Amino acid sequence: MKKNIVFLLFVFFIFSGLLYGQDSLNRGLEAYSRGDWAGAVVSFKRAASENGAASGDAGYWLVMAETAMGDYKSALRDADSFLENYPQDKRYGDMLYQKGRILHLSGKYDDSIVVLGTFANSYPGNEYVSSAVYWIGENLYLLGRFDEAEKMYRKVLAEYPLSVKKEASSYKIQLIEQKEREEELLEILRWSHEESLKVIEEYSRRERNYEQALNAYQKKVSGTIQEMDASSEAELLAEQKKNAQLSDRIETLTAMNGELTSILESMTRDSEAPDSELIKRIQDLKQKAETIKNSGSGT
């Protein structure tokens, strides 16, 4: 009889513990749903401390609440604890994804890439895979590896057309393309500025030469018109023509510098992708720069 009473008390305490743990979990979920992250953390910790079926769920939601409130250090610690203590839990894959995301939010981009890559390869059917690919792209983007990042964003669009990260991926591709255009324009602007300085220097040098040749020529012909030196006259005309060409080149380069600066300021000011008219202006400028380079190759 005494043994039966002891057994019943044992069952009662176990059952009460389960109910208590489940009750704490429910309170935590309620607090989480209304954005009370601190209250949710307290309830999830209480639920996780109970030895019951709710412990795994509580551990998962504890990490989610800590992440939501920006406590990434605690979230990462508790994510590792979950992965170590609940290897058979149905949310193990989800937690691996969350760990990768927390590493990204913590600024540990290389570590995040590794964890998210492991998750995507190990759980190809998980609902978070497309998001993992996107976050890998975000890590690469923030590391300045734009070509690799673009591949990840395009992978989201190509392989996961229904992904919640579809729009975000499209936007980041546009940003990368705009960044590439800006870099091209900056390169053209640098070249144009340097070329302008070279041409101005050349123009000044030839202007001095022309004035010296003109003075010498005028001395030669100061007597009579019949004594004019035909070769000297041709030389003067050639210098005049070259100077005029250099002057035109300076004007063209100055105008192009102004237009390049205007476009770059417009692209920096507007966060949206450039419209077709602006893209056409960029293409025209690139073509103009190429033409100027080719025409001045013998200068």
Side-chain angles (χ1 to χ4, degrees):
M1 184 69 172
K2 186 179 292 185
K3 288 183 179 179
N4 289 336
I5 293 174
V6 171
F7 177 74
L8 289 172
L9 286 172
F10 176 76
V11 171
F12 172 77
F13 284 120
I14 291 295
F15 186 68
S16 297
L18 290 173
L19 288 177
Y20 182 76
Q22 189 64 45
D23 187 50
S24 296
L25 176 63
N26 289 335
R27 283 199 299 272
L29 291 172
E30 182 183 347
Y32 186 93
S33 67
R34 63 174 185 268
D36 178 11
W37 315 125
V41 165
V42 171
S43 294
F44 290 142
K45 281 183 176 180
R46 185 179 296 121
S49 67
E50 300 299 321
N51 295 319
S55 297
D57 284 341
Y60 177 83
W61 286 106
L62 171 61
V63 171
M64 295 294 289
E66 288 169 336
T67 303
M69 69 188 296
D71 185 2
Y72 303 134
K73 183 177 180 180
S74 296
L76 191 58
R77 178 200 64 215
D78 290 329
D80 284 334
S81 176
F82 180 98
L83 293 171
E84 180 181 353
N85 295 317
Y86 302 101
Q88 303 303 319
D89 193 275
K90 64 187 180 200
R91 293 185 182 274
Y92 187 89
D94 294 357
M95 182 60 81
L96 195 59
Y97 163 74
Q98 296 299 341
K99 178 182 177 180
R101 197 169 67 90
I102 295 165
L103 286 167
H104 168 84
L105 295 170
S106 302
K108 300 177 181 179
Y109 305 127
D110 287 311
D111 292 341
S112 178
I113 290 172
V114 173
V115 173
L116 290 170
T118 300
F119 161 74
N121 291 330
S122 302
Y123 300 90
N126 190 287
E127 63 178 317
Y128 292 123
V129 169
S130 66
S131 294
V133 174
Y134 170 81
W135 287 111
I136 290 173
E138 287 290 270
N139 287 317
L140 292 166
Y141 185 92
L142 290 169
L143 288 169
R145 294 156 63 179
F146 302 116
D147 290 343
E148 295 172 78
E150 185 176 357
K151 289 178 182 177
M152 293 297 103
Y153 297 136
R154 291 195 181 280
K155 183 174 181 178
V156 173
L157 298 183
E159 299 182 17
Y160 309 98
L162 301 179
S163 172
V164 295
K165 296 298 184 181
K166 178 181 177 180
E167 294 302 321
S169 295
S170 295
Y171 176 70
K172 293 311 285 277
I173 290 172
Q174 290 178 353
L175 285 184
I176 291 173
E177 289 175 344
Q178 179 165 325
K179 187 177 291 290
E180 290 172 350
R181 292 190 190 97
E182 288 176 356
E183 289 175 356
E184 286 179 348
L185 289 174
L186 282 171
E187 185 59 35
I188 295 173
L189 184 60
R190 279 192 292 268
W191 169 83
S192 180
H193 180 67
E194 291 171 2
E195 185 68 10
S196 296
L197 294 177
K198 285 166 56 180
V199 173
I200 290 171
E201 184 179 351
E202 177 69 7
Y203 178 81
S204 299
R205 185 180 66 79
R206 286 185 175 274
E207 188 72 12
R208 289 193 300 272
N209 290 344
Y210 174 75
E211 289 175 358
Q212 291 171 1
L214 180 60
N215 289 334
Y217 175 76
Q218 287 174 339
K219 287 179 182 178
K220 285 184 180 181
V221 298
S222 59
T224 63
I225 195 69
Q226 287 81 9
E227 295 177 2
M228 277 185 166
D229 188 331
S231 64
S232 295
E233 185 177 10
E235 183 180 339
L236 281 172
L237 291 173
E239 283 292 333
Q240 239 179 352
K241 182 179 179 182
K242 186 63 180 177
N243 283 356
Q245 291 174 344
L246 287 171
S247 179
D248 290 343
R249 191 176 174 85
I250 290 170
E251 288 183 11
T252 301
L253 287 166
T254 301
M256 186 163 65
N257 286 345
E259 191 167 1
L260 282 165
T261 302
S262 173
I263 291 176
L264 283 167
E265 287 176 350
S266 174
M267 293 175 71
T268 303
R269 183 174 59 251
D270 301 330
S271 59
E272 296 181 1
D275 56 28
S276 57
E277 182 180 346
L278 184 57
I279 291 174
K280 186 177 185 306
R281 285 177 64 195
I282 293 171
Q283 291 171 340
D284 289 344
L285 274 174
K286 289 168 66 177
Q287 183 62 45
K288 185 183 292 185
E290 197 62 34
T291 300
I292 294 174
K293 285 181 184 180
N294 293 334
S295 67
S297 58
T299 301

